Amino acid sequence: MVPFTDRGLYRQFVENKPRPVGLKNFVITTTTGMVLDFELFQGAETPFEDPLSFYIYRKQYPKNQCRTISISLRWSKTKNIEINVPCSAVVVSYNKNMGGVDLCNQQMEAYHTDLAIVNSWMEYKEDPTKMQIPKNNIKDLMEFKINITKE
């Protein structure tokens, strides 16, 4: 959710969000939190004809692979016990790789910074050997942000 309280055609209200009023934003990230693409909600006109995530999903999980591959323990509210629940490859992959958007949001909130700086920092820290920087000399997000403002 992008905070936005002014008048606007696509302004949304989503309960239980830290900022419940704003523009709904659909985001595709890596598991490390780097944003690859995003699309603001535009009602029925939101261009989702062939989104990247659907392509990746279809390529990775054809229909015949959506069968049960493991069992997971889940809490049953009605029985008040843990029960075994079958999981497909799609669910296992989602649970393993989810959280990229949360990581990005966490960095943006912690340092009150914008997406461009967070994405740049994530790219900077991804492979320090390319930049010939020892791992113990990699700047944290705050140092990185300060260096950008100085240059």
Side-chain angles (χ1 to χ4, degrees):
M1 186 73 82
V2 177
F4 181 77
T5 54
D6 205 356
R7 291 183 181 190
L9 183 62
Y10 302 119
R11 188 179 67 167
Q12 299 284 305
F13 175 78
V14 180
E15 268 187 77
N16 301 323
K17 288 283 186 184
R19 294 188 180 96
V21 179
L23 302 173
K24 200 174 214 178
N25 192 17
F26 300 99
V27 181
I28 298 172
T29 68
T30 64
T31 56
T32 61
M34 186 178 297
V35 175
L36 303 175
D37 199 6
F38 66 90
E39 189 69 51
L40 290 175
F41 176 74
Q42 302 166 30
E45 293 83 36
T46 306
F48 283 136
E49 296 94 26
D50 190 20
L52 177 63
S53 60
F54 181 73
Y55 172 76
I56 292 169
Y57 167 82
R58 295 288 297 180
K59 191 101 170 136
Q60 200 169 12
Y61 300 106
K63 286 182 183 177
N64 63 352
Q65 288 190 4
C66 291
R67 58 181 165 35
T68 300
I69 63 162
S70 70
I71 302 292
S72 291
L73 282 174
R74 296 289 184 250
W75 184 258
S76 171
K77 289 181 182 178
T78 57
K79 297 178 183 177
N80 285 331
I81 60 170
E82 283 187 334
I83 58 172
N84 290 327
V85 178
C87 286
S88 67
V90 175
V91 173
V92 170
S93 177
Y94 173 80
N95 288 337
K96 180 182 171 191
N97 298 310
M98 66 180 249
V101 173
D102 295 335
L103 287 171
C104 182
N105 287 343
Q106 181 184 23
Q107 295 297 333
M108 288 171 50
E109 287 296 319
Y111 294 104
H112 303 288
T113 191
D114 66 6
L115 177 61
I117 292 174
V118 170
N119 253 15
S120 299
W121 174 68
M122 287 182 180
E123 187 121 355
Y124 155 80
K125 72 177 190 137
E126 202 168 87
D127 197 285
T129 55
K130 285 182 184 175
M131 300 178 73
Q132 298 173 346
I133 298 172
K135 285 191 177 189
N136 59 348
N137 289 346
I138 296 174
K139 297 175 180 76
D140 67 10
L141 181 54
M142 182 58 87
E143 289 177 288
F144 185 80
K145 185 177 175 180
I146 290 168
N147 280 359
I148 289 174
T149 57
K150 287 180 179 178
E151 291 179 12

